[in-house]
């Protein structure tokens, strides 16, 4: 296939972009005191641990579907300590790299119905997973500030 | 130039992605009571109006730099009412579409030093502007929830 233009972003650049965000989110998990991570929230929202477990529940299951075209039910991860959550986070980091390398280049423009529910192009689905992480992590910044804790800088990845 | 693969995302898909996020952010501005928009915050952070003005201060000035290669100082917008902020938001929406159409396809992979300070590929710069909006908008979700107001759904763009 011949295209007239350089790509906006290459598959590996998008992987690095995501993993950069995941590095920052990991720093956020570390920044929370253990008890606050699992119990503190504002406005009746979920604690930051629940956001992180939702992110874990989306990341690898989404990539499995992207690579195989088979969509298993996804469910949030279930960690009960910060150490366990960080271990799961790091396992997902490796798994994302492993699965990402298997995405056929043409797959990003294909339309699929993720988890039998969300019909969209694969690039849109992957952006959604990344955006959802940024969205909830931003909420965690408010939690940390309200706790009097300086969050890690947004621009450091 | 010949590439072996379909693109991850086309320039117009990335524009739509951003404008979809901007539609949601506009809905957030509308959701805030007028006084809370300019005065309410948590954890010593800025009110949501200041986040929106920062987003406006980044969006068109960044695109001007992307298109022209000339980086003027950027400064946050200065609105003093919700109506004024929404008018500026809508003007930026049109201006983003107008400028986006002028970005040469090869530009996304070029490295530039935005505003004389941030050296990165243009795709990374544009993603940063979008991510910064998602990040601060997520913080606004906590403000609204703490005010007892249901925010607009994250997945509607």
């Amino acid at each position: 296939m011949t295209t007239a233009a350089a790509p906006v972003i290459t598959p590996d650049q998008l992987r690095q972009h995501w993993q950069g965000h995941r590095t920052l989110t990991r720093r956020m998990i570390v920044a929370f005191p253990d008890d606050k991570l699992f119990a503190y929230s504002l406005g009746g929202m979920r604690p930051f641990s629940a956001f992180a477990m939702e992110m874990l529940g989306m990341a690898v299951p989404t990539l499995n579907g992207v690579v195989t075209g088979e969509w298993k039910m996804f469910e949030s991860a279930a960690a009960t300590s910060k150490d366990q959550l960080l271990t799961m986070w790091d396992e997902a980091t490796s798994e994302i790299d492993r699965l990402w390398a298997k995405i056929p280049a043409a797959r990003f423009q294909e339309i699929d119905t993720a988890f039998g529910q969300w019909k969209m192009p694969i690039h849109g689905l992957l952006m959604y997973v990344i955006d959802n992480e940024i969205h909830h992590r931003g909420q965690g910044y408010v939690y940390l500030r309200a706790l009097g804790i300086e969050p890690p800088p947004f621009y450091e990845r």
Side-chain angles (χ1 to χ4, degrees), chain A residues 32-47:
Chain A
F32 272 88
D34 290 58
D35 58 331
K36 303 294 188 229
L37 179 61
F38 286 87
Y40 182 80
S41 81
L42 290 166
M45 298 175 76
R46 293 171 289 167

Side-chain angles (χ1 to χ4, degrees), chain A residues 65-69 71 103-112 121-123:
Chain A
V66 168
V67 169
T68 65
W71 300 95
I103 306 175
R107 182 73 170 133
F108 294 96
Q109 286 292 325
E110 288 178 10
I111 292 171
D112 204 340
I122 295 298
H123 68 79

Side-chain angles (χ1 to χ4, degrees), chain A residues 25-75:
Chain A
T25 306
R26 189 187 197 286
R27 239 176 256 139
M28 285 288 288
I29 296 169
V30 170
F32 272 88
D34 290 58
D35 58 331
K36 303 294 188 229
L37 179 61
F38 286 87
Y40 182 80
S41 81
L42 290 166
M45 298 175 76
R46 293 171 289 167
F48 195 70
S49 58
F51 296 153
M53 289 190 262
E54 178 184 285
M55 295 167 199
L56 285 171
M58 291 171 78
V60 169
T62 297
L63 275 185
N64 268 321
V66 168
V67 169
T68 65
E70 288 168 31
W71 300 95
K72 298 180 183 152
M73 280 303 296
F74 87 76
E75 48 188 292

Side-chain angles (χ1 to χ4, degrees), chain A residues 28 32 40 42 136-149 151:
Chain A
M28 285 288 288
F32 272 88
Y40 182 80
L42 290 166
H136 286 308
R137 189 183 57 213
Q139 297 170 343
Y141 272 66
V142 187
Y143 295 181
L144 282 183
R145 288 277 183 205
L147 288 166
I149 298 167

Side-chain angles (χ1 to χ4, degrees), chain A residues 112-133:
Chain A
D112 204 340
T113 305
F115 302 103
Q117 290 187 70
W118 299 289
K119 187 173 179 181
M120 60 176 85
I122 295 298
H123 68 79
L125 176 67
L126 293 169
M127 298 285 265
Y128 189 89
V129 172
I130 299 168
D131 294 349
N132 187 66
E133 175 167 343

Side-chain angles (χ1 to χ4, degrees), chain A residues 15-29 52 55-60 63 85-97 129-130 133-134 137 156-157:
Chain A
R15 181 193 62 78
Q16 285 176 52
H17 178 75
W18 186 13
Q19 294 283 30
H21 273 300
R22 293 186 72 261
T23 301
L24 175 56
T25 306
R26 189 187 197 286
R27 239 176 256 139
M28 285 288 288
I29 296 169
M55 295 167 199
L56 285 171
M58 291 171 78
V60 169
L63 275 185
L85 188 54
L86 290 172
T87 300
M88 294 169 83
W89 197 265
D90 295 339
E91 287 167 358
T93 302
S94 306
E95 193 64 0
I96 288 167
D97 283 348
V129 172
I130 299 168
E133 175 167 343
I134 299 167
R137 189 183 57 213
E156 277 184 24
R157 305 292 159 83

